Amino acid sequence: NMKNENAIIKTDFGNANGKSVDLYSIQFPNELEVQVTNYGGIVTSLKVPDKNGVMEDVVLGYDELQGYLNETPYFGALIGRYGNRIAKGQFELEGETYDLATNNNQNHLHGGIKGFDKVVWEVIEVVDEENRKGLSLKYVSADGEEGYPGELTTIVDYIFTPNSFEITYEATTSKTTVVNLTQHSYFNLSGNASEDILGHELTINASLFLPVDNTLIPTGELRPVRDTPFDFTNPKLIGEDVNATNEQIGFGGGFDHCWVMTEAPTAQIRKVATLSHQQSGRSMEVHTKEPAIQFYSGNFLDGTITGKNEKVYHQRYGLCLETQHLPDSPNQGQFPSTVLKKGETYSTATKYVFSTSN
């Protein structure tokens, strides 16, 4: 029976927060092979074939759990309660002021000191069908955890097909709160992080981006990308403008900005970005319901991290394409709302689709 041969394999991955952690291995032979752990919902490995059929890993990470338990730049992780930054770690909601950790200079980043990337998720279901395999992950965040109001119950489904990684997010709350979930995989389509990502070609279907201040908080302006280094409306090599003489590039140390596709989330998932690497023949499309996408060109990687297979991750050896709501939305009333009320369900989806061409 072929089904059992390629069944999801669960192995022990160690311990975190006094709980045992597992690693799930999912395989579509010669198409897509992936490993996911329920610690932080981390995708530890994602292999796709190049144009010669060679399977190589296209995400950054560590061989062992310990790497993720140490200081890590969110490799492969599920991010919550709030992806990206909230200015000065503070926001107001229904007349109350909430104080959050300032874990990124004076700002709050990616849910705080111990965000969703650092907790052990409960695996509530394993999906193991012929062309759909994956996990349903659940985490209940206590009222007041990391300073956020409301007990937040989050269920995230990771579903893999022979050529895609699909993520659906759902969350409910016991009282009014803010939510902005995302996935923080660092991609390098060259395979096994064999070179930097500057030779990757990127398209972002967005005519607007968010300028930031020197602490990387959006100024509130939605600026047209036209005639700026931020114009990826046509395919462009990342290296072409990553070091452009531009105040915004200076603030980010390269690209570390949010592109805005629409004024609000959409009911339909649609393609928002395409990444390709000509030499390997690998391409990846990003589809989402979210209104925006953060493109980060791995500027803060600096050669101090040794990842999988003893690979040293130098500057720009990986890039992130994080689908999300706009950063600092709780403090910027003109941005689409990230408020979730009791009785409502936060619901969104993102899909990474891989292909290979000669």
Side-chain angles (χ1 to χ4, degrees):
N1 181 327
M2 283 297 288
K3 179 155 166 48
N4 295 345
E5 213 172 287
N6 304 318
I8 296 177
I9 298 165
K10 176 176 139 181
T11 51
D12 176 35
F13 200 47
N15 289 281
N17 313 338
K19 296 175 184 162
S20 63
V21 173
D22 293 308
L23 188 69
Y24 293 82
S25 301
I26 296 166
Q27 202 171 10
F28 298 99
N30 308 317
E31 292 182 287
L32 187 145
E33 296 173 16
V34 65
Q35 291 186 309
V36 178
T37 173
N38 60 320
Y39 174 76
I42 293 170
V43 176
T44 62
S45 169
L46 198 162
K47 292 179 180 172
V48 292
D50 73 356
K51 61 188 174 190
N52 301 313
V54 179
M55 300 293 290
E56 287 175 312
D57 198 349
V58 298
V59 295
L60 306 192
Y62 302 98
D63 289 319
E64 309 286 335
L65 179 62
Q66 192 55 49
Y68 298 103
L69 297 177
N70 297 343
E71 201 50 36
T72 170
Y74 304 96
F75 288 143
L78 252 177
I79 303 293
R81 290 187 186 193
Y82 200 98
N84 217 315
R85 293 171 179 84
I86 295 177
K88 300 191 168 52
Q90 211 174 58
F91 65 94
E92 238 180 78
L93 198 56
E94 296 182 340
E96 293 273 322
T97 299
Y98 293 94
D99 286 300
L100 312 172
T102 48
N103 59 324
N104 183 247
N105 301 321
Q106 69 257 55
N107 301 317
H108 178 77
L109 179 68
H110 291 334
I113 306 297
K114 190 175 167 186
F116 286 6
D117 62 299
K118 296 180 184 72
V119 300
V120 179
W121 291 68
E122 181 191 349
V123 177
I124 53 173
E125 196 190 354
V126 176
V127 177
D128 198 346
E129 296 158 15
E130 193 184 356
N131 283 327
R132 281 174 59 79
K133 296 176 190 285
L135 307 173
S136 195
L137 301 164
K138 180 181 180 181
Y139 180 65
V140 179
S141 174
D143 183 13
E145 185 172 302
E146 283 294 337
Y148 290 94
E151 181 184 84
L152 191 77
T153 301
T154 303
I155 295 176
V156 179
D157 290 348
Y158 279 0
I159 298 291
F160 300 91
T161 74
N163 74 334
S164 70
F165 169 25
E166 301 172 11
I167 311 155
T168 57
Y169 305 86
E170 278 202 353
T172 53
T173 184
S174 65
K175 59 169 116 155
T176 305
T177 193
V178 295
V179 187
N180 183 28
L181 305 180
T182 190
Q183 221 288 338
H184 211 299
S185 286
Y186 284 68
F187 296 99
N188 184 328
L189 300 182
S190 74
N192 299 335
S194 51
E195 59 183 62
D196 65 37
I197 49 80
L198 300 184
H200 285 51
E201 196 174 68
L202 178 64
T203 312
I204 303 176
N205 305 332
S207 58
L208 300 168
F209 80 105
L210 297 182
V212 292
D213 66 19
N214 62 359
T215 77
L216 302 181
I217 293 291
T219 61
E221 179 193 353
L222 278 79
R223 186 177 292 176
V225 298
R226 206 175 151 181
D227 301 325
T228 77
F230 296 85
D231 191 346
F232 284 91
T233 51
N234 293 305
K236 182 173 74 176
L237 289 176
I238 292 168
E240 192 176 317
D241 288 329
V242 75
N243 294 319
T245 305
N246 174 283
E247 183 185 53
Q248 285 300 311
I249 294 279
F251 287 160
F255 297 111
D256 191 3
H257 292 74
C258 196
W259 275 251
V260 181
M261 283 85 66
T262 160
E263 289 302 299
T266 62
Q268 292 301 312
I269 199 163
R270 78 277 192 228
K271 182 167 77 170
V272 296
T274 305
L275 182 70
S276 58
H277 181 254
Q278 198 181 352
Q279 216 176 335
S280 67
R282 294 187 181 97
S283 288
M284 180 181 85
E285 293 178 355
V286 186
H287 300 244
T288 190
K289 293 181 178 181
E290 286 296 289
I293 189 166
Q294 182 87 6
F295 163 43
Y296 168 52
S297 52
N299 315 308
F300 300 116
L301 296 173
D302 59 3
T304 56
I305 290 174
T306 300
K308 288 173 281 191
N309 305 315
E310 298 299 301
K311 272 284 190 228
V312 176
Y313 296 148
H314 297 289
Q315 190 187 35
R316 300 179 178 146
Y317 261 53
L319 65 87
C320 302
L321 290 164
E322 306 154 64
T323 57
Q324 57 186 236
H325 267 58
L326 286 59
D328 198 35
S329 293
N331 294 312
Q332 309 224 17
Q334 76 281 21
F335 289 173
S337 176
T338 51
V339 172
L340 179 69
K341 296 189 164 94
K342 185 179 177 174
E344 296 177 342
T345 301
Y346 169 97
S347 175
T348 189
T350 290
K351 177 165 74 165
Y352 295 100
V353 182
F354 299 91
S355 60
T356 313
S357 64
N358 292 320

